[in-house]
Amino acid sequence: MTSDPMTGRETKPRQRDEPPHDEQKAPERRLHAPQRATAVWGPVIGVMIVAAIILFIGVWIHVRAAHERADFARQTSEVLVSVRTVHRNNRPIDLVLPGTIDANQSTTLYARTNGYLGKWYVDIGDNVRAGQVLANIETPDVEQQLRQAEASLNQAKSNFEIARVTAVRWQDLYVKKVVSAQDNDTQQSNYQSAAAAQAAAQANVNYLQQELAFNQIVAPFPGKITYRYHDTGALVSAGSGAAGTPIYDLQQTDPLLIYVYVPQDNAPDMHAGITADLLVREYPGRKFVAKVTRTAGAIDQNSRTLLTELQIPNPDGALYAGMYGELQFSLKETVSPPVILPANAYIFRTAGPQVLVVKNNKIHWQNIRVGRDFGTTMEVLQGLNDGDQVVMSPADDLQEGEQVTPKEAPADNGKG
């Protein structure tokens, strides 16, 4: 070993086959050469990648802009409208009409003879049967008149018998030429006058007997007494209205009647036999079934309605004549079921209601006749057919014959 004169350190002598010190470090310097190549090409490759990405984004933006321009051009050349394909409404329609319940029969019973009320047997709220005696009227004046008329009748009978016998005798004498024809004719005339007087007296007796029979107030039909006018001893007079004295009000309450006025549009579907539910607020949740018995058969020119009569059974007396109720019909329109459209499809102008119909992808302004208004929907009675495409929420600038692209609107739970 030798010492280094510069450092003073001892060094091992280099062997013959050992490479110099510099040559031993050379392999380490060759290992760093690939790192210098990566440092040069890495940024270049990165720049190229970024440039490619920028180019791709630019191309994509350009293509997208081209598509947007194409879509804008297509949208400006074609008008997209929302349409609804309409059909006839064949489902039953609920028709609710107000009405007042009335008695099947109702009358006021008057006195048919003069006198005073002797006794009454029924009062308000009582049920009576047909032919039942309701009250008695004392008629002393009529009884006296009847006795007088009977006496006059007996007198007339006597006069008639004398005239008859005399007429027979004078006829025999005339045949024998004992008396003149004039005298015989006089006796025959007296006989005929006596016969007529007897007949008149008999008619007067019959009248007073009938008048006396009216001293009983009798129920003409089964029903309920709804009013009693007088107490015992009240003076009554024969007649009706202001001239007569009323005794009782009688109503037949089983069955009851109710009259409703059906709109002209529903008149063809109204006929005898169909039923309706009667709803009254005094009985919530309870439905009374009424049946149509007859219609007036003519439309009232003032109201354009059809007077319809319905009959309601009332065996338990729950309903009263004079009550207000609502009749709910479920009608199956058989003549011409209407088209029902949402309210936003209608256009109301001075010329009348209209809708926009798409035919062959072109707009057509269609005049229609509107029926009932249900709030969110309305009826179209005339102007539309099955399969017509109607524009929903139409724009004001749509013109007749304008080219459009229809798009079916979603259905609203089956309405319209």
Side-chain angles (χ1 to χ4, degrees):
M1 298 180 63
T2 60
S3 60
D4 190 348
M6 295 181 66
T7 60
R9 297 180 179 178
E10 292 182 354
T11 58
K12 183 180 179 180
R14 181 173 59 88
Q15 299 295 329
R16 183 178 297 178
D17 295 333
E18 290 181 354
H21 180 73
D22 295 338
E23 293 178 358
Q24 293 179 354
K25 299 295 183 179
E28 295 180 359
R29 288 195 296 270
R30 284 195 298 270
L31 293 174
H32 290 286
Q35 294 179 359
R36 290 196 298 270
T38 302
V40 173
W41 288 104
V44 174
I45 295 173
V47 170
M48 294 177 63
I49 293 173
V50 171
I53 292 174
I54 294 174
L55 178 63
F56 175 78
I57 293 175
V59 172
W60 179 78
I61 293 176
H62 178 74
V63 172
R64 181 179 178 183
H67 283 295
E68 289 178 352
R69 287 193 297 270
D71 292 340
F72 178 76
R74 183 169 56 255
Q75 291 176 3
T76 55
S77 61
E78 297 182 1
V79 178
L80 184 65
V81 293
S82 178
V83 298
R84 175 76 60 81
T85 302
V86 300
H87 300 283
R88 295 285 180 183
N89 181 29
N90 293 318
R91 294 168 296 175
I93 294 179
D94 290 335
L95 177 65
V96 179
L97 298 174
T100 301
I101 302 173
D102 199 1
N104 187 31
Q105 297 185 78
S106 179
T107 187
T108 299
L109 303 178
Y110 287 86
R112 288 293 307 275
T113 186
N114 298 324
Y116 59 90
L117 188 60
K119 187 176 182 180
W120 48 265
Y121 302 103
V122 294
D123 208 341
I124 60 172
D126 290 341
N127 293 315
V128 298
R129 63 184 183 278
Q132 180 178 344
V133 177
L134 309 180
N136 281 332
I137 299 176
E138 300 294 339
T139 57
D141 294 342
V142 177
E143 294 174 1
Q144 184 62 34
Q145 292 174 8
L146 177 59
R147 287 192 292 268
Q148 183 179 355
E150 290 173 345
S152 298
L153 176 60
N154 292 333
Q155 183 180 1
K157 288 180 178 180
S158 298
N159 294 336
F160 170 78
E161 187 62 24
I162 294 174
R164 185 186 67 79
V165 173
T166 302
V168 171
R169 289 175 181 175
W170 279 80
Q171 180 65 27
D172 291 340
L173 293 175
Y174 171 72
V175 172
K176 295 177 181 179
K177 306 296 183 180
V178 175
V179 296
S180 65
Q182 182 176 359
D183 292 339
N184 181 54
D185 291 342
T186 300
Q187 297 302 324
Q188 299 302 324
S189 177
N190 292 337
Y191 167 63
Q192 294 176 1
S193 297
Q198 179 183 354
Q202 183 64 56
N204 190 32
V205 170
N206 294 340
Y207 168 76
L208 292 172
Q209 288 177 343
Q210 187 65 44
E211 191 78 9
L212 189 62
F214 287 136
N215 66 342
Q216 290 185 333
I217 305 298
V218 179
F221 53 80
K224 186 184 293 291
I225 299 296
T226 59
Y227 199 82
R228 178 177 60 85
Y229 286 90
H230 299 286
D231 291 325
T232 301
L235 185 64
V236 297
S237 301
S240 61
T245 303
I247 306 299
Y248 287 110
D249 282 345
L250 177 63
Q251 293 184 351
Q252 185 179 11
T253 57
D254 184 25
L256 290 167
L257 301 180
I258 185 168
Y259 293 92
V260 295
Y261 294 89
V262 179
Q264 178 179 331
D265 297 335
N266 303 109
D269 304 305
M270 197 64 56
H271 54 83
I274 67 173
T275 60
D277 292 331
L278 174 65
L279 308 177
V280 291
R281 59 185 179 183
E282 289 77 12
Y283 298 101
R286 180 176 178 181
K287 294 182 179 180
F288 300 87
V289 179
K291 180 180 291 185
V292 175
T293 54
R294 59 182 57 85
T295 66
I299 300 295
D300 183 84
Q301 295 185 357
N302 295 322
S303 62
R304 300 299 177 186
T305 56
L306 176 69
L307 178 61
T308 303
E309 178 191 277
L310 296 94
Q311 196 173 90
I312 312 161
N314 189 35
D316 58 351
L319 299 175
Y320 299 95
M323 294 178 71
Y324 171 83
E326 291 184 340
L327 282 168
Q328 186 176 27
F329 293 89
S330 183
L331 298 179
K332 180 75 173 180
E333 302 200 44
T334 57
V335 178
S336 180
V339 171
I340 296 183
L341 279 178
N344 61 351
Y346 297 86
I347 300 175
F348 293 92
R349 294 185 172 182
T350 56
Q354 294 177 314
V355 294
L356 298 187
V357 179
V358 177
K359 294 183 178 180
N360 298 324
N361 289 352
K362 292 184 178 181
I363 291 293
H364 171 65
W365 287 78
Q366 179 66 44
N367 295 324
I368 59 173
R369 185 164 73 90
V370 178
R372 290 169 295 179
D373 188 348
F374 299 110
T376 58
T377 59
M378 297 175 67
E379 283 183 344
V380 178
L381 302 179
Q382 290 181 358
L384 292 178
N385 299 314
D386 282 345
D388 285 347
Q389 290 185 322
V390 179
V391 179
M392 298 291 103
S393 301
D396 295 336
D397 57 352
L398 291 176
Q399 302 296 324
E400 178 73 23
E402 183 176 349
Q403 189 79 20
V404 296
T405 301
K407 180 181 179 181
E408 189 71 21
D412 299 334
N413 297 327
K415 296 180 181 180

